[in-house]
Short mmCIF file of all heavy atoms in Angstrom, two decimals:
data_model
loop_
_atom_site.label_atom_id
_atom_site.label_comp_id
_atom_site.label_asym_id
_atom_site.label_seq_id
_atom_site.Cartn_x
_atom_site.Cartn_y
_atom_site.Cartn_z
N ARG A 74 -11.49 116.99 90.32
CA ARG A 74 -10.16 116.43 90.57
C ARG A 74 -9.12 117.52 90.44
O ARG A 74 -9.20 118.38 89.56
CB ARG A 74 -9.84 115.33 89.54
CG ARG A 74 -10.66 114.10 89.74
CD ARG A 74 -10.19 113.05 88.76
NE ARG A 74 -10.96 111.84 88.92
CZ ARG A 74 -10.80 110.77 88.18
NH1 ARG A 74 -9.90 110.76 87.23
NH2 ARG A 74 -11.52 109.70 88.38
N LYS A 75 -8.12 117.42 91.29
CA LYS A 75 -7.03 118.39 91.21
C LYS A 75 -6.05 117.92 90.15
O LYS A 75 -5.70 116.76 90.08
CB LYS A 75 -6.32 118.50 92.56
CG LYS A 75 -7.18 119.17 93.61
CD LYS A 75 -6.41 119.36 94.88
CE LYS A 75 -7.27 120.05 95.93
NZ LYS A 75 -6.60 120.20 97.20
N SER A 76 -5.63 118.84 89.32
CA SER A 76 -4.68 118.50 88.27
C SER A 76 -3.30 118.33 88.86
O SER A 76 -2.88 119.10 89.73
CB SER A 76 -4.66 119.62 87.23
OG SER A 76 -3.69 119.36 86.27
N THR A 77 -2.59 117.32 88.40
CA THR A 77 -1.23 117.09 88.89
C THR A 77 -0.20 117.70 87.95
O THR A 77 0.98 117.65 88.22
CB THR A 77 -0.97 115.58 89.01
OG1 THR A 77 -1.21 114.98 87.74
CG2 THR A 77 -1.85 114.96 90.06
N THR A 78 -0.65 118.28 86.83
CA THR A 78 0.29 118.88 85.89
C THR A 78 0.50 120.34 86.25
O THR A 78 -0.27 120.94 86.99
CB THR A 78 -0.25 118.79 84.46
OG1 THR A 78 -1.51 119.46 84.40
CG2 THR A 78 -0.43 117.34 84.04
N ASN A 79 1.56 120.88 85.70
CA ASN A 79 1.86 122.29 85.90
C ASN A 79 0.76 123.11 85.23
O ASN A 79 0.48 122.92 84.05
CB ASN A 79 3.23 122.60 85.27
CG ASN A 79 3.64 124.04 85.47
OD1 ASN A 79 2.87 124.86 85.97
ND2 ASN A 79 4.86 124.34 85.09
N PRO A 80 0.07 124.02 85.96
CA PRO A 80 -1.02 124.78 85.34
C PRO A 80 -0.56 125.61 84.15
O PRO A 80 -1.34 125.88 83.25
CB PRO A 80 -1.54 125.68 86.48
CG PRO A 80 -0.52 125.63 87.54
CD PRO A 80 0.26 124.37 87.36
N ASN A 83 -1.18 123.95 80.77
CA ASN A 83 -2.53 123.90 80.22
C ASN A 83 -2.88 125.16 79.44
O ASN A 83 -3.85 125.16 78.70
CB ASN A 83 -3.54 123.68 81.35
CG ASN A 83 -3.35 122.33 82.01
OD1 ASN A 83 -2.91 121.39 81.37
ND2 ASN A 83 -3.65 122.25 83.28
#
Side-chain angles (χ1 to χ4, degrees):
R74 290 185 181 178
K75 290 184 179 177
S76 176
T77 56
T78 59
N79 181 354
N83 295 330

